[in-house]
Amino acid sequence: MSANGGASSQPVLSRFTQSLKKKFNSTKTAPKKSYGYLRLFLRSDPSKLDFFYLAVGIIAAMAAGVPFPLLGILFGELVDELNTASCAKSQDQDVGNLQSSVNTKVILIVYVSIANFFAIYIHTGCFSLFGERLVRRMRESYFRGLLRQEIAFFDDLPAGDVASCLTSDIETIRSGVSEKVGIVISSFSYLLGAYVVSFIKDAKLAAMLVSLVPAYILMAAVGGKYVGRYTSRVSEHIGAATATASECLSNVALVQAFGAGPRLEAKFTINLQKAQKDGLKKAFAAAAQFGFLFFIAYSANALAFWQGARTIAQGSDSGVTAGAVYTVIFLLVDGKNYNLLLIYLLSLLASFIISQVAPFLQIFAAAAAASERIQSVVDRSSNIDGTNNSGGIKLDGVSGALTFEDVTFRYPSRPDVGVLEHVSLVFPAGKHTAIVGPSGSGKSTVAALATRLYDLHSGRILLDANDIRDVNVRSLRSRIGVVQQDSCLLDRSILENIAHGLVNSIHTDHESILVGSTLSDIAKSVLAGQNLQAVVAAQSSAVVKIIERVREAAVLADADGFISDLEFGYATMIGSSGNQLSGGQKQRIALARALVKDPAVLILDEATASLDTASERQIQSALTKVIHGRTTVSIAHRLSTVKDADNIIVLKDGYVIEQGSHSELIARDETYASMVETQTVQTNTSSTTASSGYKRISESRRGIPSDSAKSPIIEKEAFTDSDQTVNETPKEQLVDPLGSQRSTWSTIRGITSLSRPQLIFVFLGIAAATTVGGAFSGEAVIFGHTVGALSPCRSPASIRASGNLFGLLFFVFALLVLSANVISGSSFGKVAEKMVFKVRILAFRALFHQDLEWHSSNGRTPALLLSYLSTDAAALAGLSGTTVGTIVSIVVNLMAGILMTHIIAWKIAIVLLATLPILLGAGVMRLRVLAQLQNRHQLAYATSVGITIEAVNSIRTVASLGLEHELLAVYNRSLASPYKASFKEIAVADFWLATAYSVSNLIYALAYWWGTKQVVAGLYSQTQFFIVLPALLFSAQSCGQMFALAPDFSKARVASAKLLDLIDIGPAKLTHRGDIVTATEKGDDLEAGSKARPMPLDQHGIRVDFRNVHFSYPARPHLTALKAINLEILPGQFCALVGPSGAGKSTILSLLELFYTPKYGRIEFDGSSTFERDRVALVPQDSHLFDESVRFNVGLGARPGHEATDEEIETACKLANIHETITSLPEGYSTRCGPNGDRFSGGQKQRLSIARALVRQPRLLLLDEPTSALDAESEERFQDTLGRVCRRMTVVAIAHRLRTIMKASVIFLIEDGRCVDRGTHEELFERNASYRANALHQSLGT
């Protein structure tokens, strides 16, 4: 048993259950900490260089904020001078010195602007580099944290959840710690400088406005709390949805075979709906926070103008003589200057600074929340750390004696179910011990415990005299070689996969080479056309020794023959999970990987189950030599493979029921003898069960390529899910799977079409954002009139009245902007959530609307395709409600400012307008650079995410082989290229950002100079000038802020184009699509099988005819998989396909499943060339189960449009002999299967797979090695089931083990893509030598 299957609960469990749950839960996660945003900057052990970037960035950002108060002082002095000029002109005095003074100030502004440019460039560059380095370290530390965890941690962790962390969460963190941080620091530097100047010049007013600070902090804290909370929830739900998509993409053939897309989409949708619900709450919280920050700012403006007017009036109320008028004016102007300066600074502070900072607050809160999720894994302590080389006993000489003493165990994810109960076992050193028994009895659990994948709950396990809990985990696993029930390989070359056995082995001198890129570089050189021998000859002697060891192990595992016949030999890339190889080929490579380790203890868990008889016989012969003198533990259902073992242990329901040698157990005539009799009788009496090459989920992907010299790997694509073919270029040379060339305008039209159902909220959001944008121009109007109204030329009473009026107007503005921001952010947030929800579902549909050929062509892999639903959708979701609202308000502000200023003072405005293209051009250039960066590196990051997904899916193999350090090295190499290339893009992008921000200061200077000339010339009044000036300056500064949001916008634009391209190849064109209707919106329930109506039965099978069929896989047209095949299968007939691995058997099934069409010839179903796939059911070689309930997984086999009833599900499970196992579990049919179905053993998964096919009640049932993981009893019951179902359906079965198909009506012998013979078992046994040899080899003598 490989997972949580096993015996039903025993009475002894009551003493353990609660303590086990408490124990596991206490170690599952580290104590939760409050990871504030500031702690994020110290994540993942920053280096001195990181602290240097951080320090320089902070200093430069603070320096970048200083020019704004300086500009305010200069602006205040300009106000003084213009007021002086206005009063002087009213008294017919000379104003000739004014222009000279303005010219001096303009030159000062130019100097300040140059300094400001360098300060901005430095701080944005430093924080961008700091952010890149931080997220790279966090990627690495997160992956390292994952690899450090014990296997129990992964029992409830879908690989898709990991993908979500490394895409959306990492991108959220990157956005929250990059250039935006410097912008916020510079804004607060501006705030500090303004307060310093204010306290120096008017302490009373400044003290009153200190209330801004706690108000801002309070609102930021409260808003950040809720935004962070909802962001975390959204991430959890998106992670669950991504996990579903990841499972589906990794098993796309299974999804298509059962037409399961709509049901899995419903599961996908449920999590998206939860994310959408929390996303809407997050949008409202962010909008409310945004609005209240503006409310505080404008309320402060009201206070500032009211108090400032009172101060000015008090100064003007003193009596003066006519002779002292000028002195009084200058004194009052000087005093008034700084009050107006204070008013102006804090007015600008309250509006502009908040407009700068507010959009970033939710980004920072989201980054902090994403950091918590990642850091929870990084900080989690592991009970079994296989990455630690220190601590514990280091094994030196090991004899290999393995002892289990009174072992009790249950899986942490299901502590109520007993697996092993007080088991005591002895595996003598140098002896061969076999473990047999029914599926789910605990056999594979023994293998897992021996390598300490789990810890015991009582008892102990000794290796020699050492308790394995006292032994260093890495040292322990270096002495044990395992061929697991699921022969999982990694997406590397064959050379690297076999060499993985050396990584953590006694051959420690090889580890540095194996962890490095040497073997990968050798494979790349061969793929590029070089000769392997020539490449190896140029390497060091240590590398040559590794290659020799790999070849020797491949020869022992009978793998060298088929490997050498491949075009690239040992350099052949085998695809994700090795799915470009057949089950037999994978198993031989896995065996070679274990043998090259030269372990003291060798554990073989169904090591030859996927092999044909000839290969099995050859490997058994080789193993006899290998295991001599080595402690060997064999786990098998097929007793013929273990009858020569020194000791055979029989397990049942977690207990040892008997043990002894084969002859001793036969003599006892108990359980083992009964098992032998069952298998022997079945073989000799033409019964119908085989115990052949079926493997678990990760072990043998769909299809069986050729093992022969003539057509190596010819058949693999029969049920392949993804990835490049074995003869294609390496993944580093892959291009964008869809290669989007969509224009920006086309992207906008597509997004607009998707948003059409929410048009009312779009218009509402635009209206509200327009109000916010217009408020800036309105503020300029008020400010211009305020400057004129508070002129010292006017009476104190008039000044007080104006102060009251304009203070009231600003408070009204505060209420208006509060409401508008809440409405804008909430409306755009709703539109964004609805749109992203729809896009994800439509993209999901589009992906599963494509055929297998599309999924396996042009370098498309599950990881790359998953990036559409994770990375791209997350980038699109990054345009949240407040972000969109900010951009719209900025655009409105710019347009309103231009229009209003041209109406009020066109001669001033038109000159300033000429500078706008420079400002906008800088922003556009930054967008282009960021878009190129996004396009260039997205595939590279998708590859790194694929590595992590593969590691999680293969974590048992990774842990057993000690590959953690090697995987981490490969992962870091995958990140190196985009990381290095990003430096140049950062330098260029931040140059344009600094330009966009600092150019606005030069526009200040031009505005001062040109505006004062117009005022002095008498063309415009002081009031008109002070309306035009802030209106255009606010617009200019806002453009800089908009371009600070450019990374989010750029990523969203690129992602939108890719997603729209994907949707356009889906089942319906975007332009013809209205709103989508999901299964959940129809009221369907994933678990509501009992509510469904029974499915009408088809009472007969279907006739199938192959007429001169030739077939080649599209990816390898030069290799012919089927050659002139002619088959005739009658309705209701039980037909079998036998033959060596790679002969073409699975290709025939793939054609029957309508995955492909023949190249020549035709296939007829009941005399027609067309047939509905929903009448076909498949039991694939890979019994994958989704991370849902048993009810859901079995019901997945029902025909599209029909929900299986509970009665139908239970009937199918009874036929598959799994009903009793399910009902013995605490949650029965509601029991979750876990990621990859790993909570069930291989045999239990296979029986559930059979039940899934039977619940469809098909007319054509396709069985690809359906009983390879079943024990003898289950196999025999399946024979009876086949006998019953054959009466109403046609059955086509593939088997290497002839027991499964001996009662077949007709058996087709397939060799080298041809049907070389046909007949019944007896007929073929009599006349065909190869068939007879197979039958005799599989017989089990007593």
Side-chain angles (χ1 to χ4, degrees), residues 1274-1339:
S1274 298
E1275 198 174 33
E1276 186 174 19
R1277 292 187 182 182
F1278 183 67
Q1279 302 290 333
D1280 298 334
T1281 298
L1282 273 183
R1284 292 196 298 271
V1285 301
C1286 281
R1287 300 168 188 168
R1288 61 174 184 267
M1289 64 184 70
T1290 303
V1291 179
V1292 180
I1294 292 176
H1296 284 133
R1297 307 306 162 193
L1298 302 183
R1299 286 189 302 274
T1300 306
I1301 45 85
M1302 294 176 89
K1303 290 185 178 180
S1305 305
V1306 59
I1307 300 174
F1308 296 98
L1309 181 58
I1310 309 297
E1311 295 180 358
D1312 193 24
R1314 295 182 173 88
C1315 179
V1316 298
D1317 206 346
R1318 69 189 69 194
T1320 64
H1321 168 69
E1322 290 78 8
E1323 292 169 349
L1324 293 176
F1325 187 87
E1326 288 294 328
R1327 68 170 180 257
N1328 191 286
S1330 63
Y1331 185 89
R1332 182 168 54 253
N1334 286 343
L1336 291 174
H1337 176 72
Q1338 293 178 36
S1339 63

Side-chain angles (χ1 to χ4, degrees), residues 363-443:
I363 295 175
F364 295 161
S371 171
E372 287 188 32
R373 190 176 178 206
I374 290 177
Q375 202 66 25
S376 66
V377 175
V378 175
D379 291 342
R380 183 184 186 276
S381 60
S382 174
N383 293 327
I384 309 173
D385 187 356
T387 65
N388 191 356
N389 284 313
S390 60
I393 300 172
K394 297 292 185 67
L395 299 175
D396 190 8
V398 176
S399 66
L402 197 62
T403 306
F404 282 55
E405 294 184 354
D406 195 31
V407 169
T408 295
F409 175 75
R410 64 215 70 244
Y411 287 94
S413 58
R414 198 183 294 161
D416 294 325
V417 179
V419 181
L420 295 178
E421 298 294 343
H422 303 290
V423 169
S424 295
L425 303 171
V426 176
F427 303 94
K431 298 295 184 180
H432 181 193
T433 304
I435 305 176
V436 300
S439 58
S441 60
K443 304 184 298 298

